[in-house]
Amino acid sequence: MEKSKVLVVGGAGFIGRRLVAASLAQGHPTFVLMRSEIGVDVDKVQTLLSFKAKGARLVEASLDDHAGLVAAVRQVDVVVSALSGTYIRSQVKLVEAIKEAGNVKRFLPSEFGMDPSKMEHALAPGRITFDDKMEVRRAIEAASIPHTYISCNCFAAYFCPNLGQIGTLLPPKDKVRVYGDGNVKVIFVDEDDAATYIIKTLDDPRTLNKSIYLRPSENILSQSDLIVKWENLSGNVLEKIYIPADEFLASMKGFWQSIRNGTHLPHFLRRLPDKL
């Protein structure tokens, strides 16, 4: 079967570059949107040029350039978005371009984490991102655009090396903060594996207009499980500092505002750096 032509938007980002690599590896004619928004980010420009050297086609367009987006979309069969952060809501512009182009067989919006339709209880700032993703979903469905939603749960690179610690990507040396009782199970997914499976959904009729959950059974672990694995690997037993769930949740309500204002951290985060 002939492989779909794929356009990746946000292809120079953390998950985007993996999606581009997986698309090329699986034999899809791969197009990467080269947005003016990347500005003078040398790393991203070099990443895009490396994709071009491997056979990807770079297509210039901006999220604010509707005609350019429509022209880019008309060259492909499938659009995969890997936009993040403040650009999540901007995917509505991409939806409008896809609707006008009228040729796209499948659109995968940038989700890839927790299923936003099940995250009504989330606190800010995560709640803001989930709300933005749901707005994009509503736009997709209102436009009757064929789609697939992907939930990868937790990317391992963000949550495993630091044993679930907030504010660092490095493993603790002596002490570790344990949130709640540390026994809540979550699903960790390797980012390269996620990209491989995401691209495999593109031409699969079973995934059309469906939500797909990536849940490797061996990767369903608690924070305590992660800590034990690290202790076994390192040969070093860490001191556990338990943060009660109610204390953690209460402090998080003001945490992000305090960070933006440059004021104070929750007291259990404020006191720990001196001990670590």
Side-chain angles (χ1 to χ4, degrees), residues 181-197:
D181 62 9
N183 294 323
V184 175
K185 299 284 186 179
V186 296
I187 303 164
F188 300 100
V189 178
D190 177 88
E191 295 80 3
D192 293 315
D193 289 347
T196 296
Y197 283 108

Side-chain angles (χ1 to χ4, degrees), residues 212-265:
I212 307 301
Y213 297 89
L214 302 186
R215 293 176 173 171
S217 59
E218 296 298 317
N219 291 22
I220 302 175
L221 305 166
S222 67
Q223 186 186 12
S224 294
D225 293 332
L226 284 180
I227 293 169
V228 169
K229 286 181 178 293
W230 174 248
E231 289 176 332
N232 290 338
L233 287 170
S234 66
N236 180 36
V237 176
L238 300 172
E239 179 183 342
K240 284 77 175 176
I241 301 175
Y242 288 87
I243 311 300
D246 55 350
E247 180 181 349
F248 174 72
L249 292 174
S251 66
M252 288 300 291
K253 292 180 180 179
F255 172 70
W256 297 107
Q257 188 61 50
S258 69
I259 291 296
R260 286 192 292 270
N261 294 341
T263 54
H264 65 281
L265 296 174

Side-chain angles (χ1 to χ4, degrees), residues 56-100:
R57 180 174 173 180
L58 303 184
V59 183
E60 290 190 56
S62 168
L63 292 174
D64 294 320
D65 173 17
H66 179 72
L69 280 179
V70 172
V73 167
R74 282 181 173 155
Q75 299 180 60
V76 301
D77 306 304
V78 174
V79 177
V80 182
S81 173
L83 294 171
S84 62
T86 57
Y87 292 111
I88 290 291
R89 190 177 289 265
S90 298
Q91 291 180 106
V92 173
K93 299 176 182 178
L94 189 54
V95 171
E96 293 168 352
I98 292 170
K99 181 179 180 180
E100 180 172 329

Side-chain angles (χ1 to χ4, degrees), residues 4-63:
S4 292
K5 291 180 286 186
V6 179
L7 172 66
V8 180
V9 181
F14 176 75
I15 189 63
R17 66 187 66 188
R18 290 169 166 83
L19 291 168
V20 173
S23 180
L24 289 169
Q26 294 179 40
H28 289 274
T30 304
F31 297 66
V32 184
L33 197 72
M34 186 164 64
R35 299 178 291 135
S36 60
E37 289 92 334
I38 66 172
V40 293
D41 192 320
V42 175
D43 289 338
K44 289 189 175 181
V45 172
Q46 290 179 337
T47 296
L48 292 173
L49 293 177
S50 73
F51 290 147
K52 183 177 180 181
K54 294 174 182 176
R57 180 174 173 180
L58 303 184
V59 183
E60 290 190 56
S62 168
L63 292 174

